[in-house]
Coordinates of all heavy atoms in Angstrom, one line a residue:
V520 N -6.3 -8.7 -14.5 CA -6.4 -7.9 -13.3 C -7.4 -8.4 -12.3 O -7.1 -8.5 -11.1 CB -6.7 -6.4 -13.6 CG1 -6.8 -5.6 -12.4 CG2 -5.7 -5.8 -14.6
L521 N -8.5 -8.9 -12.9 CA -9.5 -9.5 -12.0 C -9.0 -10.8 -11.4 O -9.3 -11.2 -10.3 CB -10.8 -9.7 -12.8 CG -12.1 -10.0 -12.0 CD1 -12.4 -8.8 -11.2 CD2 -13.2 -10.3 -12.9
N522 N -8.2 -11.6 -12.2 CA -7.6 -12.8 -11.7 C -6.7 -12.5 -10.5 O -6.7 -13.2 -9.5 CB -6.9 -13.5 -12.8 CG -7.7 -14.4 -13.6 OD1 -8.7 -14.9 -13.2 ND2 -7.4 -14.6 -14.9
F523 N -5.8 -11.5 -10.7 CA -4.9 -11.1 -9.7 C -5.7 -10.7 -8.4 O -5.3 -11.1 -7.3 CB -4.0 -9.9 -10.1 CG -3.1 -10.2 -11.2 CD1 -2.8 -9.3 -12.2 CD2 -2.4 -11.5 -11.2 CE1 -1.9 -9.6 -13.2 CE2 -1.5 -11.8 -12.2 CZ -1.2 -10.8 -13.2
L524 N -6.7 -9.9 -8.6 CA -7.5 -9.3 -7.5 C -8.1 -10.4 -6.7 O -8.0 -10.4 -5.5 CB -8.5 -8.3 -8.1 CG -9.2 -7.4 -7.0 CD1 -9.4 -6.1 -7.6 CD2 -10.5 -8.0 -6.7
Y525 N -8.9 -11.3 -7.4 CA -9.6 -12.4 -6.6 C -8.6 -13.3 -6.0 O -8.9 -13.8 -4.9 CB -10.5 -13.1 -7.6 CG -11.8 -12.4 -7.8 CD1 -12.2 -12.0 -9.1 CD2 -12.6 -12.0 -6.7 CE1 -13.4 -11.3 -9.3 CE2 -13.8 -11.3 -6.9 CZ -14.2 -11.0 -8.2 OH -15.4 -10.3 -8.4
R526 N -7.5 -13.6 -6.6 CA -6.5 -14.5 -6.0 C -6.0 -13.9 -4.7 O -5.6 -14.5 -3.7 CB -5.4 -14.8 -7.0 CG -4.5 -16.0 -6.6 CD -5.3 -17.3 -6.8 NE -4.4 -18.4 -6.4 CZ -3.6 -19.0 -7.3 NH1 -3.6 -18.6 -8.5 NH2 -2.9 -20.0 -6.9
W527 N -5.8 -12.5 -4.8 CA -5.2 -11.8 -3.6 C -6.2 -11.7 -2.5 O -5.9 -11.9 -1.3 CB -4.8 -10.5 -4.1 CG -4.3 -9.5 -3.0 CD1 -4.9 -8.4 -2.6 CD2 -3.1 -9.6 -2.3 NE1 -4.2 -7.8 -1.6 CE2 -3.1 -8.5 -1.4 CE3 -2.1 -10.5 -2.2 CZ2 -2.1 -8.3 -0.5 CZ3 -1.1 -10.3 -1.3 CH2 -1.1 -9.2 -0.4
I528 N -7.5 -11.3 -2.8 CA -8.4 -11.0 -1.7 C -9.0 -12.3 -1.1 O -9.6 -12.2 0.0 CB -9.5 -10.0 -2.1 CG1 -10.4 -10.7 -3.2 CG2 -8.9 -8.7 -2.6 CD1 -11.6 -9.8 -3.6
Y529 N -9.0 -13.4 -1.8 CA -9.6 -14.6 -1.3 C -8.5 -15.6 -0.8 O -8.8 -16.5 0.1 CB -10.5 -15.3 -2.3 CG -11.7 -14.5 -2.6 CD1 -12.0 -14.0 -3.9 CD2 -12.6 -14.1 -1.5 CE1 -13.2 -13.3 -4.1 CE2 -13.7 -13.4 -1.8 CZ -14.0 -13.0 -3.1 OH -15.1 -12.2 -3.3
D530 N -7.3 -15.6 -1.3 CA -6.3 -16.6 -0.9 C -5.1 -15.9 -0.4 O -4.2 -16.6 0.2 CB -5.9 -17.5 -2.1 CG -7.1 -18.2 -2.7 OD1 -7.9 -18.6 -1.8 OD2 -7.2 -18.5 -3.9
G531 N -4.9 -14.6 -0.6 CA -3.7 -13.9 -0.1 C -2.5 -14.2 -0.9 O -1.4 -14.0 -0.5
E532 N -2.7 -14.7 -2.1 CA -1.6 -15.1 -3.0 C -1.3 -14.0 -4.0 O -2.3 -13.5 -4.6 CB -1.8 -16.5 -3.7 CG -2.0 -17.6 -2.7 CD -2.2 -18.9 -3.4 OE1 -2.3 -18.9 -4.6 OE2 -2.4 -19.9 -2.7
L533 N -0.1 -13.8 -4.3 CA 0.3 -12.7 -5.3 C 1.2 -13.3 -6.3 O 2.4 -13.5 -6.0 CB 1.0 -11.6 -4.5 CG 1.2 -10.3 -5.3 CD1 -0.2 -9.7 -5.8 CD2 1.9 -9.2 -4.5
E534 N 0.7 -13.7 -7.4 CA 1.5 -14.3 -8.5 C 1.6 -13.2 -9.6 O 0.9 -13.3 -10.7 CB 0.8 -15.6 -9.0 CG 0.8 -16.7 -8.0 CD 0.2 -17.9 -8.5 OE1 -0.2 -17.9 -9.7 OE2 0.1 -18.9 -7.7
D535 N 2.4 -12.3 -9.4 CA 2.5 -11.2 -10.3 C 4.0 -11.2 -10.9 O 4.8 -10.4 -10.4 CB 2.2 -9.8 -9.6 CG 2.2 -8.7 -10.6 OD1 2.2 -8.9 -11.8 OD2 2.2 -7.5 -10.1
T536 N 4.2 -12.0 -11.8 CA 5.6 -12.2 -12.3 C 6.1 -11.0 -13.0 O 7.3 -10.6 -12.9 CB 5.6 -13.4 -13.3 OG1 5.1 -14.5 -12.7 CG2 7.1 -13.7 -13.7
Y537 N 5.2 -10.3 -13.7 CA 5.7 -9.1 -14.5 C 5.3 -7.8 -13.9 O 5.3 -6.8 -14.6 CB 5.1 -9.2 -16.0 CG 5.4 -10.5 -16.6 CD1 4.5 -11.5 -16.8 CD2 6.7 -10.8 -17.1 CE1 4.8 -12.8 -17.4 CE2 7.1 -12.0 -17.7 CZ 6.1 -13.0 -17.8 OH 6.4 -14.2 -18.4
H538 N 5.0 -7.8 -12.6 CA 4.7 -6.5 -11.9 C 3.6 -5.7 -12.5 O 3.8 -4.5 -12.8 CB 6.0 -5.7 -11.8 CG 7.1 -6.5 -11.2 ND1 7.2 -7.0 -9.9 CD2 8.3 -6.8 -11.8 CE1 8.3 -7.6 -9.8 NE2 9.0 -7.5 -10.9
E539 N 2.5 -6.4 -12.8 CA 1.3 -5.7 -13.4 C 0.2 -5.3 -12.4 O -0.5 -4.4 -12.7 CB 0.7 -6.7 -14.4 CG 1.6 -7.1 -15.5 CD 1.0 -8.2 -16.4 OE1 0.3 -7.8 -17.4 OE2 1.1 -9.4 -16.1
F540 N 0.2 -6.0 -11.3 CA -0.9 -5.7 -10.3 C -0.5 -4.5 -9.5 O 0.7 -4.2 -9.3 CB -1.1 -7.0 -9.4 CG -2.3 -7.0 -8.6 CD1 -3.5 -6.5 -9.2 CD2 -2.3 -7.4 -7.3 CE1 -4.7 -6.6 -8.4 CE2 -3.5 -7.4 -6.5 CZ -4.7 -7.0 -7.1
F541 N -1.5 -3.9 -8.9 CA -1.2 -2.6 -8.1 C -0.8 -2.9 -6.7 O -0.6 -2.0 -5.9 CB -2.4 -1.7 -8.1 CG -3.7 -2.3 -7.6 CD1 -4.0 -2.3 -6.3 CD2 -4.6 -2.8 -8.5 CE1 -5.2 -2.8 -5.8 CE2 -5.8 -3.3 -8.1 CZ -6.1 -3.3 -6.7
V542 N -0.7 -4.2 -6.3 CA -0.2 -4.6 -5.0 C 1.2 -5.2 -5.2 O 1.4 -6.1 -6.0 CB -1.1 -5.6 -4.3 CG1 -0.4 -6.1 -3.0 CG2 -2.4 -5.0 -4.0
A543 N 2.2 -4.6 -4.6 CA 3.6 -5.0 -4.7 C 4.1 -5.7 -3.4 O 3.7 -5.4 -2.3 CB 4.5 -3.8 -5.0
S544 N 5.0 -6.7 -3.6 CA 5.5 -7.4 -2.5 C 7.0 -7.4 -2.5 O 7.6 -7.4 -3.5 CB 5.1 -8.9 -2.6 OG 5.7 -9.7 -1.6
D545 N 7.6 -7.2 -1.3 CA 9.0 -7.2 -1.1 C 9.5 -8.4 -0.4 O 9.3 -8.5 0.8 CB 9.5 -5.9 -0.4 CG 11.0 -5.7 -0.3 OD1 11.7 -6.6 -0.8 OD2 11.4 -4.7 0.3
P546 N 10.0 -9.4 -1.1 CA 10.4 -10.7 -0.4 C 11.5 -10.5 0.6 O 11.8 -11.4 1.4 CB 10.8 -11.6 -1.6 CG 11.2 -10.6 -2.7 CD 10.3 -9.4 -2.5
A547 N 12.3 -9.4 0.6 CA 13.4 -9.2 1.5 C 13.0 -8.8 2.9 O 13.7 -8.9 3.8 CB 14.4 -8.2 0.9
V548 N 11.7 -8.4 3.0 CA 11.2 -8.0 4.3 C 10.9 -9.2 5.2 O 10.3 -10.2 4.8 CB 9.9 -7.1 4.2 CG1 9.3 -6.7 5.5 CG2 10.2 -5.9 3.3
K549 N 11.4 -9.1 6.5 CA 11.2 -10.2 7.4 C 9.8 -10.2 8.0 O 9.0 -9.2 7.8 CB 12.2 -10.1 8.6 CG 13.6 -10.2 8.1 CD 14.6 -10.1 9.3 CE 16.0 -10.3 8.8 NZ 17.0 -10.2 10.0
T550 N 9.4 -11.3 8.7 CA 8.1 -11.5 9.2 C 7.6 -10.4 10.1 O 6.5 -10.0 10.2 CB 8.0 -12.8 9.8 OG1 8.4 -13.8 8.9 CG2 6.5 -13.1 10.2
D551 N 8.6 -9.9 11.0 CA 8.2 -8.9 12.0 C 7.8 -7.6 11.4 O 7.1 -6.8 12.1 CB 9.3 -8.8 13.0 CG 10.6 -8.3 12.4 OD1 10.7 -8.5 11.1 OD2 11.5 -7.7 13.0
R552 N 8.2 -7.3 10.2 CA 7.8 -6.1 9.5 C 6.8 -6.4 8.3 O 6.7 -5.5 7.5 CB 9.0 -5.4 9.0 CG 10.0 -4.9 10.0 CD 9.4 -3.8 10.9 NE 9.1 -2.7 10.2 CZ 8.5 -1.6 10.7 NH1 8.1 -1.6 12.0 NH2 8.2 -0.6 9.9
L553 N 6.2 -7.5 8.4 CA 5.3 -7.9 7.3 C 4.2 -6.9 7.1 O 3.9 -6.4 6.0 CB 4.7 -9.3 7.5 CG 3.8 -9.8 6.5 CD1 3.9 -11.3 6.4 CD2 2.3 -9.6 6.8
W554 N 3.5 -6.5 8.2 CA 2.4 -5.6 8.0 C 2.8 -4.2 7.5 O 2.1 -3.6 6.8 CB 1.6 -5.5 9.3 CG 0.4 -4.7 9.2 CD1 0.2 -3.4 9.4 CD2 -0.9 -5.2 8.9 NE1 -1.1 -3.0 9.2 CE2 -1.8 -4.1 8.8 CE3 -1.4 -6.5 8.6 CZ2 -3.2 -4.3 8.5 CZ3 -2.7 -6.6 8.3 CH2 -3.6 -5.5 8.3
H555 N 3.9 -3.7 8.0 CA 4.3 -2.3 7.7 C 5.0 -2.2 6.3 O 4.8 -1.2 5.6 CB 5.2 -1.8 8.8 CG 4.5 -1.8 10.1 ND1 3.7 -0.8 10.5 CD2 4.6 -2.6 11.2 CE1 3.2 -1.0 11.7 NE2 3.8 -2.1 12.2
D556 N 5.9 -3.1 6.0 CA 6.8 -2.9 4.9 C 6.7 -3.9 3.7 O 7.2 -3.6 2.6 CB 8.2 -2.9 5.4 CG 8.5 -1.8 6.4 OD1 7.8 -0.8 6.4 OD2 9.4 -2.1 7.3
K557 N 6.1 -5.1 3.9 CA 6.2 -6.1 2.9 C 5.3 -5.8 1.7 O 5.7 -6.0 0.5 CB 5.9 -7.5 3.5 CG 6.2 -8.6 2.4 CD 6.2 -9.9 3.1 CE 6.6 -11.0 2.1 NZ 6.6 -12.3 2.7
Y558 N 4.1 -5.3 1.9 CA 3.1 -5.1 0.9 C 2.8 -3.6 0.8 O 2.5 -3.0 1.7 CB 1.8 -5.9 1.1 CG 2.1 -7.4 1.3 CD1 2.0 -8.0 2.5 CD2 2.4 -8.1 0.1 CE1 2.2 -9.4 2.6 CE2 2.6 -9.5 0.2 CZ 2.5 -10.1 1.5 OH 2.7 -11.5 1.6
T559 N 2.9 -3.1 -0.5 CA 2.7 -1.7 -0.7 C 1.8 -1.6 -2.0 O 1.6 -2.5 -2.7 CB 4.0 -0.9 -0.9 OG1 4.8 -1.6 -1.9 CG2 4.8 -0.9 0.4
L560 N 1.4 -0.4 -2.2 CA 0.6 -0.1 -3.4 C 1.5 0.5 -4.5 O 2.3 1.4 -4.2 CB -0.5 0.9 -3.1 CG -1.8 0.4 -2.4 CD1 -2.8 1.5 -2.1 CD2 -2.5 -0.7 -3.2
R561 N 1.3 0.0 -5.7 CA 1.9 0.6 -6.9 C 0.9 1.6 -7.5 O 0.0 1.2 -8.2 CB 2.3 -0.4 -8.0 CG 3.5 -1.3 -7.6 CD 3.9 -2.0 -8.9 NE 4.8 -3.1 -8.6 CZ 4.5 -4.4 -8.6 NH1 3.3 -4.7 -8.8 NH2 5.4 -5.3 -8.3

Side-chain angles (χ1 to χ4, degrees):
V520 179
L521 197 62
N522 273 333
F523 292 142
L524 189 145
Y525 279 122
R526 195 72 179 271
W527 172 250
I528 66 176
Y529 291 122
D530 299 325
E532 297 180 2
L533 192 61
E534 297 181 359
D535 187 13
T536 307
Y537 304 107
H538 309 294
E539 302 174 87
F540 194 43
F541 56 86
V542 175
S544 174
D545 186 359
V548 176
K549 296 182 179 179
T550 306
D551 58 339
R552 297 293 300 176
L553 181 145
W554 186 270
H555 297 281
D556 300 330
K557 187 166 186 177
Y558 301 106
T559 55
L560 282 178
R561 289 193 191 103

